[in-house]
Amino acid sequence: MTDQRTDRLAEDAVRALCWGAGAEIHTIIARAVLTELGAALEQTVRSKTLCLLAAYLHDHPVPELDRTVTRFLDHTLRTNRYKTYACRAAALADTAALRTAGVAVVVLGGLSVEHTLYASTGARQFSDIDLLIAPGDAERAHAVLRAQGYQPSQDKGTWTRQTGDPIAPLIILDLNATLPCGAADDVPGLLARRIEIAVPPHGHPLPVPEPSDAVHHTLARLANRPRWALAADAIRQLRATAPPAPHCADVLAGWSVLRSHWPLLPAAPARLPASEEPHR
């Protein structure tokens, strides 16, 4: 998750953004954007945390920051918030149609956490909708997606739909019938334990993994694809949920990735007190 060319202050700022709590965070981020703005922006763009930085500075302004930069970050945040809304509306309609067809489904990835962990502010960047279904439901799911206006792409499991919206012109949906990594026990079990969250002002609920499955899945994904955005998800999930033992190898590997950046974390996956500040 570290770019060797990135200035240390910029990397510290991204680490602080991902930790997301504590009195020292503002000092770290403000120092980076005031003294190493180019490096800070480059690092957040590379790590897909630019909108996380924009959301933080929107809520915790740095008065000395150039107004042009502030306007750029505000525009970036508003644009991502709009794209998130478009993806969320599509996912709610698609999962409702799948449920009507008798297909159990959960939403994974960035869309599954942007409301609960980031309050629908647009701070969480993602590029597609990740859905998980049971392997035996693939044929029915494909029929539903075609009825929803999607077309399969050359990439296996990827479906796309044109919207005609100049800001969010394309909805990309990844349909999975297997878990991308060993985060939970099995697909039927994860689907059976799914929960539904209300996302105002939408009428349909969003089906997502229950919290312990969600944190296991995030840690396992982090092991396979170390990314700051996933680290931010995991930290925020772990403030509310203790991952239940036993932990599979991927979950333990994901925890090791977190500890490589926050060495003061406990040796084994555990719930994190919000007051802790092991971001140094």
Side-chain angles (χ1 to χ4, degrees):
M1 296 193 296
T2 301
D3 189 328
Q4 296 295 330
R5 295 171 296 176
T6 300
D7 186 273
R8 179 62 183 270
L9 284 178
E11 184 180 336
D12 287 346
V14 172
R15 186 180 294 108
L17 282 168
C18 292
W19 185 256
E24 296 182 11
I25 282 183
H26 188 73
T27 300
I28 295 170
I29 295 171
R31 184 186 302 123
V33 298
L34 290 176
T35 62
E36 297 291 345
L37 177 61
L41 291 177
E42 179 184 2
Q43 172 69 341
T44 55
V45 168
R46 288 179 177 274
S47 61
K48 297 185 178 181
T49 57
L50 178 62
C51 290
L52 189 57
L53 174 65
Y56 178 86
L57 292 176
H58 180 270
D59 293 335
H60 306 86
V62 176
E64 301 88 348
L65 190 60
D66 186 272
R67 287 186 179 182
T68 302
V69 176
T70 301
R71 287 195 294 268
F72 162 74
L73 291 173
D74 284 345
H75 174 75
T76 299
L77 185 62
R78 287 195 302 271
T79 301
N80 194 57
R81 188 182 299 142
Y82 182 89
K83 291 179 179 178
T84 298
Y85 184 92
C87 285
R88 189 195 309 130
L92 288 163
D94 299 338
T95 54
L98 288 166
R99 283 196 302 270
T100 299
V103 177
V105 59
V106 296
V107 178
L108 302 173
L111 185 57
S112 71
V113 299
E114 65 85 21
H115 178 68
T116 55
L117 301 185
Y118 301 92
S120 295
T121 59
R124 180 58 162 89
Q125 294 174 237
F126 57 91
S127 57
D128 53 26
I129 301 169
D130 290 311
L131 300 183
L132 177 70
I133 61 170
D137 286 338
E139 186 174 340
R140 278 187 294 170
H142 293 170
V144 169
L145 292 181
R146 285 192 171 90
Q148 293 290 101
Y150 289 90
Q151 295 294 327
S153 70
Q154 293 181 347
D155 295 332
K156 185 177 180 181
T158 300
W159 296 68
T160 59
R161 176 170 64 83
Q162 301 286 340
T163 66
D165 188 320
I167 298 177
L170 187 69
I171 299 295
I172 303 172
L173 186 151
D174 283 337
L175 189 67
N176 301 288
T178 58
L179 288 167
C181 43
D185 54 0
D186 60 347
V187 171
L190 188 147
L191 291 170
R193 293 187 297 270
R194 71 188 182 278
I195 62 173
E196 294 184 336
I197 59 173
V199 189
H202 305 284
H204 298 298
L206 190 72
V208 297
E210 67 90 27
S212 61
D213 282 338
V215 68
H216 265 184
H217 179 68
T218 301
L219 286 171
R221 287 185 67 207
L222 185 61
N224 285 271
R225 301 183 71 182
R227 290 184 174 183
W228 283 114
L230 289 175
D233 291 349
I235 291 294
R236 285 158 176 76
Q237 288 170 326
L238 286 162
R239 291 206 178 100
T241 303
H247 307 300
C248 70
D250 280 340
V251 169
L252 294 174
W255 185 257
S256 294
V257 172
L258 287 184
R259 292 193 75 219
S260 70
H261 295 282
W262 293 282
L264 295 181
L265 290 175
R271 184 170 178 175
L272 306 179
S275 60
E276 288 188 6
E277 298 183 19
H279 52 266
R280 282 196 165 189

